[in-house]
Amino acid sequence: MSNSYTSDILKPFKLKTKQQELLIRVSILCLVYILAFITRLFSVLRYESMIHEFDPYFNYRTTLYLTQHGFYDFWNWFDYESWYPLGRIVGGTLYPGLMVTAALIYRLLHFLRFAVHIREVCVLTAPFFASNTTLVAYFFGKEIWDSGAGLVAAILIAVCPGYISRSVAGSYDNEGVAIFALLFTFYLFVKAVNTGSLAWGLASAFGYFYMVSAWGGYVFIINLIPLYVLVLLITGRYSMRLYVAYNCLYILGMLLAMQIRFVGFQHVQSGEHMAAMGVFFLMQVFYFLDWVKHMLSDTKLFQEFLRITVTCAVAVGGIALGVGMASGYISPWTGRFYSLLDPTYAKDHIPIIASVSEHQPTAWSSFMFDFHILLFLFPAGLYFCFKRLSDATIFIVMYGLTSMYFAGVMVRLILVATPAVCLISAIAVSATVKNLTVLLRSKTKVAQIGSTKGTSSAKASSKASLDQSQPFQKNGAMALLFGAFYLLSRYATHCTWVTSEAYSSPSIVLAARGAHGNRVIFDDYREAYFWLRQNTPLDAKVMSWWDYGYQITAMGNRTVIVDNNTWNNTHIATVGRAMSSYEDEAYEIIRSLDVDYVLVVFGGVTGYSSDDINKFLWMVRIGGGVFPVIKEPDYLVNGEYRVDKGAAPKMLNCLMYKLSYYRFGEMMTEYGKPPGYDRARGVEIGNKDIKLEHLEEAFTTSNWIVRIYKVKPPNNRW
Amino acid sequence: MEARIRARVNLALTFFALLFFVAGSSPPRQFVISNAERRIDLSSHIINVHLTLKVENAGTRPASEVVLALTPTEVDHLAMVDASAIKGKRKKTTSLRLEVKPTELPDAPPIDTKYFTIYLANPLNSGESTTLEVLYVFTHFLEPFPAEIAQSESQLVFYHDTALILSPYHIKQQTTFIKTPSTKVESFIRMEPTNRVGTEIKYGPYEDRPPYSISPIHVHFENNSPFAVVEELVQEIEISHWGNIQVTEHYKLIHAGARHKGVFSRVDYQSRQSSNGASSFRYVRIVYLLARLPPRVHSVYYRGEIGNISSSHLRTDSLKSELQIEPRYPLFGGWKATFVIGYGLPLQDFLFESSDDKRYLNFTFGCPLIGMVVDKLTIKVVLPEGSTDPSPVVPFPVEHHLEAKYSSLDVVGRTVVVLEKKNFVPMHNSHFQVYYSFKPIFMLAESLMLASAFFMLFVACVAYIHIDLSVRK
């Protein structure tokens, strides 16, 4: 009696299978959304809510300016504090997408009466967008394969180290929002191609606009999509849907992108964007031909017409390109673009690009580190994609293959490849697991096999084989399923481990293990920057190697000579030249640059290896690239770089050496080693008696990591 | 240097003016000071002057207003003046605090002299005498000379004063003791009889000095205590009736001693520090600061403008909590540092209900850092949203006004009582109260708001699922 009563009550709450499936799907997505966010919070828990590394400090500083002064002031901001004496037109030389996004979130939160600091918003922007990316990955996966693949893709991308490396909390960089924008644009475009709907095309144009406003990597989109369209055209998959999607994206996207000052008219003027334009015209030719074909009934006549039009079109296009290049209207490809196509180009021609560690070619180990099992699932996924070719799978295959190539060229582009790798791997996982479970389940219902519809060939073939060898199949499928889950769980542990160990260090604060296993914090960078901020004149000019420029302006609030925006090679070379000259020569350069303080980073006491002495050869190379007085062999002994007694005389007396090792010879760094033992390089230094004539020590941090010198005024002549 | 000259000129001017007007003036001559003893403590940069006056009514009528005189330079640096009457003999003395107010004397002779009046509890009859104890606290009064010193030099400072006590009354006998922090005294001006023993210089006794007589002196001595000065302290006390008081303190700290000159050498700094022990050599710098916080303090943080500062230690026991903090770098003369300390406190320790159905916050007015001069202290008491008619009760005069603040989920804003005090010294530390009315129903406002927002969200979801907006069926 009571039993039936309760069941009556519960009846409306009982879910149908479809509703259950929806509920599970939505809850999985919610969990993945949260997981993607919290797995990126390691850095906040280990350290604190702070901005990481180098470039994010510039982004943070500009965001702060944006929230304090409003958009128009930000857009017209001339920054006197960087690139002294040149300055920087900030509004015209940055991608504002990230800052505007963070400022909008900040405004929204304040409108909803949440009193948060802009720094917290900046710190959490990247994890928030990573969460959003998982949603996009789900929808993308659903679009190209099925909702199962979408779910797997969302899970894989939520924890994939390749993406986490650039989106942990505090890593407030363009890539944080750009990967979201990239994937979103691709998704909308694929959706537009699949549906042929103008609305989706429009949405993809806006997605592209957001991407352009956020990151220079938009060039990848504007080259990949034309390539994809070209492949579709060649494989005879031209359709009205494609025509609508591409034209809408190209025309609107181009017009919108021109609103970003930093991009300007590059879409019509730069060589990197010409492929998109060429494909655009090709589309028109195709459309025209289609129309003519429709009008002409005679195929022979049409073939003739086709030949003439294609030849004319190609000829006109070639001539236009040639004239454009020759007249200088179309700019040639930039060095960065060349170095992507030819990995050795930067090393020979642009040392400043080659000097950045994240521009180095990728090692196999870092592929393994960042992708783990995805590296093996990727080819499997490609196999599944080829088995079920459609417009969407062709797109993801092309995206995967091109981005994998670029990931091999440059370490940092692993990031771009990650979504594609995750999606393709998700297809592999989803398809495999689905096939296996179908095997397992259909075995119990042998009688019903005939009734289930074999939509995909994979299913059909599995069923066909099922009937032949049932006992093995069942066990095999079970084993494989367990194997797959084991692999996936290994992937999850690996990702968590990598995130917590490798990618959650802010690199401003260094942590090490002390003698008793306790955690030692080296907070020297902030100590030095804060000292600059509090105890130097407001208009003091600080010279340092360009790596630290953004940090000095953001945290020290002082003018710098060069910073991480490496647009002026000569200026950087001048600083490199000053660092690698003798002190009196350097003093002339320093005086001419109107420098008040010189800042060097030195790891000899703590054993911190990425200091200025280890970067010094790049200063020599970059300086020597512009000023041939500086010659790299002068600093080497038999091609070997050393700082001990056997070092080259020029090395022992150049400014960088003197500033790094000034009075270091009196210092005992390690028990049982002579004074002046450099722990970063493991040698006793060669010049312990360093006298400074034109500079004086102004501040050295407690672990000697940052040393600041004051430039003395010139002596009186009498 | 310039300030020193100005101070001297001022003193000299006063002196001459005094000489001129001595004869013709007519101050309230009712009192005569039969004995005056002054003890000046120069051991830190907060100068305490204890003045013991034996005042005798030499007039005919009973009088209750005793006037103190100070030079303008002294008044500029005066942080507080406090007077009490001593009753009883020898060991059984009791002191009674008296009211002191700045006054203007209409017929006072010298143009620049500033006056304070002590109001005696009972008028002093003709011929009677009483003993008064006056405490002056001066800040920024020691002048470093040389004004710039190198890293390992010790800090020498000038102290300017007069050997004779400036007073509108005739002083029959007076003595001044000046206590220096160490025996290292470079120079001092003698005015016989003057005697120096150990760390103490004794001026006097001088007999029968007429009103307004002064005699400028200076002492040039070594003072190696760091002159830690908080240029500005903003303390925000936010009350939440859910059980917490959140205190946030923004400090602007400066070492106001002799300015650091030339090189800062880390080698010297580290080697002297480690090898020679603490006492044998001391740099004049600020390394540690100690903050005394209330007991049961929780979630303490210590941050700079650019992030956490990891060098701090918190010790708590049942009576007090001590937070030892270290600025990012040692502060040499003229170096600055800004930082923020924040902590939470249990509400029941500080918030009480008064008899007239009002609530009041009882909190310490002061700077938790020990031994600090605070040039400008601003206390902001952020009352909960919905509280009305706030009224502060502070034991000494402060400026106050009201502000509004929007914290999380605030709609109308919170009332903020702002109290401002200039030139604050640790002797000011005392309790103050802020009374206000508050209806408990306002406590639920924010939680109801959140609940309704979520409710609306779910309703919207349900509606979205059930409503079919498509045009075609």
Side-chain angles (χ1 to χ4, degrees), chain A residues 48 113 115 119 523 526-527 530-531 533-535 555 663 666-667 696-702 704, chain B residues 262-268 270 303 305-308 328-329 335-338 406-411:
Chain A
E48 59 181 277
R113 299 280 180 227
R119 188 191 58 247
D523 203 358
R526 289 193 295 182
E527 182 182 341
F530 202 59
W531 183 85
R533 188 188 185 105
Q534 298 280 333
N535 300 310
M555 285 194 273
R663 298 199 69 182
E666 305 165 30
M667 176 89 180
E696 63 182 20
E697 189 179 358
F699 187 73
T700 297
T701 56
S702 46
W704 292 54
Chain B
V263 176
F264 166 72
S265 169
R266 183 61 77 169
V267 181
D268 290 343
Q270 279 174 340
R303 294 181 61 93
E305 253 167 301
I306 55 172
N308 279 354
R328 284 192 189 273
Y329 41 84
W335 288 11
K336 293 176 191 170
T338 56
Y406 291 91
S407 189
S408 281
L409 296 175
D410 283 353
V411 180

Side-chain angles (χ1 to χ4, degrees), chain B residues 245-319:
Chain B
I245 291 182
Q246 182 64 36
V247 185
T248 319
E249 294 162 356
H250 298 262
Y251 289 90
K252 273 188 193 168
L253 184 72
I254 187 173
H255 184 309
R259 295 181 61 80
H260 176 75
K261 175 180 72 177
V263 176
F264 166 72
S265 169
R266 183 61 77 169
V267 181
D268 290 343
Y269 185 74
Q270 279 174 340
S271 60
R272 296 279 179 98
Q273 209 178 21
S274 54
S275 60
N276 291 9
S279 59
S280 64
F281 193 89
R282 252 183 62 161
Y283 290 111
V284 189
R285 85 270 188 245
I286 305 168
V287 180
Y288 293 107
L289 301 166
L290 196 64
R292 189 155 293 152
L293 305 178
R296 305 217 282 151
V297 66
H298 64 87
S299 10
V300 182
Y301 63 84
Y302 170 45
R303 294 181 61 93
E305 253 167 301
I306 55 172
N308 279 354
I309 308 171
S310 45
S311 45
S312 59
H313 300 281
L314 180 70
R315 283 182 294 269
T316 51
D317 58 40
S318 58
L319 293 175

Side-chain angles (χ1 to χ4, degrees), chain A residues 245-396:
Chain A
Y246 184 73
N247 285 322
C248 188
L249 171 75
Y250 182 68
I251 297 171
L252 271 172
M254 179 174 72
L255 289 175
L256 286 169
M258 283 179 186
Q259 311 309 312
I260 307 294
R261 274 165 74 199
F262 193 27
V263 177
F265 289 103
Q266 280 186 25
H267 275 80
V268 288
Q269 286 192 338
S270 132
E272 288 144 22
H273 300 75
M274 281 304 122
M277 189 182 273
V279 169
F280 171 68
F281 286 120
L282 201 63
M283 287 291 275
Q284 311 315 316
V285 172
F286 254 81
Y287 184 71
F288 176 66
L289 286 174
D290 218 34
W291 178 70
V292 171
K293 195 179 178 184
H294 181 70
M295 300 300 281
L296 283 179
S297 47
D298 190 353
T299 43
K300 207 173 177 189
L301 208 61
F302 175 71
Q303 288 294 331
E304 201 64 21
F305 183 76
L306 180 77
R307 204 163 50 234
I308 294 167
T309 348
V310 168
T311 335
C312 286
V314 169
V316 168
I319 290 168
L321 194 68
V323 169
M325 295 286 257
S327 64
Y329 179 78
I330 298 171
S331 64
W333 290 352
T334 58
R336 276 172 201 266
F337 202 74
Y338 267 121
S339 64
L340 275 181
L341 300 179
D342 174 10
T344 54
Y345 179 83
K347 213 169 186 178
D348 301 333
H349 296 90
I350 340 166
I352 202 143
I353 289 181
S355 77
V356 181
S357 64
E358 62 186 22
H359 290 166
Q360 305 300 324
T362 317
W364 268 111
S365 57
S366 55
F367 268 121
M368 197 57 211
F369 198 64
D370 279 355
F371 289 143
H372 200 238
I373 59 161
L374 302 189
L375 212 53
F376 307 109
L377 291 174
F378 181 67
L382 286 182
Y383 163 77
F384 281 110
C385 286
F386 275 113
K387 261 183 98 175
R388 208 176 95 183
L389 270 188
S390 67
D391 289 357
T393 45
I394 290 178
F395 180 83
I396 197 68

Side-chain angles (χ1 to χ4, degrees), chain A residues 583-616:
Chain A
E583 193 191 348
D584 42 356
E585 294 164 10
Y587 186 63
E588 294 293 318
I589 301 168
I590 287 173
R591 291 289 306 166
S592 69
L593 287 174
D594 196 15
V595 172
D596 299 303
Y597 291 91
V598 182
L599 182 147
V600 294
V601 171
F602 172 62
V605 176
T606 46
Y608 171 57
S609 61
S610 49
D611 65 349
D612 277 350
I613 289 286
N614 279 358
K615 291 175 185 169
F616 182 60

Side-chain angles (χ1 to χ4, degrees), chain B residues 167-229:
Chain B
S167 170
Y169 307 117
H170 184 92
I171 304 177
K172 283 184 180 158
Q173 192 187 34
Q174 56 177 314
T175 329
T176 296
F177 298 92
I178 297 179
K179 189 169 174 291
T180 55
S182 68
T183 52
K184 286 181 189 157
V185 176
E186 291 283 305
S187 68
F188 61 99
I189 287 182
R190 290 180 168 273
M191 184 190 167
E192 295 306 333
T194 304
N195 190 12
R196 186 182 151 214
V197 180
T199 62
E200 198 168 71
I201 303 167
K202 183 184 174 193
Y203 285 95
Y206 306 114
E207 309 279 339
D208 279 328
R209 298 287 162 161
Y212 297 114
S213 46
I214 57 169
S215 153
I217 53 159
H218 71 240
V219 186
H220 192 203
F221 62 100
E222 187 184 283
N223 186 340
N224 276 339
S225 69
F227 288 13
V229 173

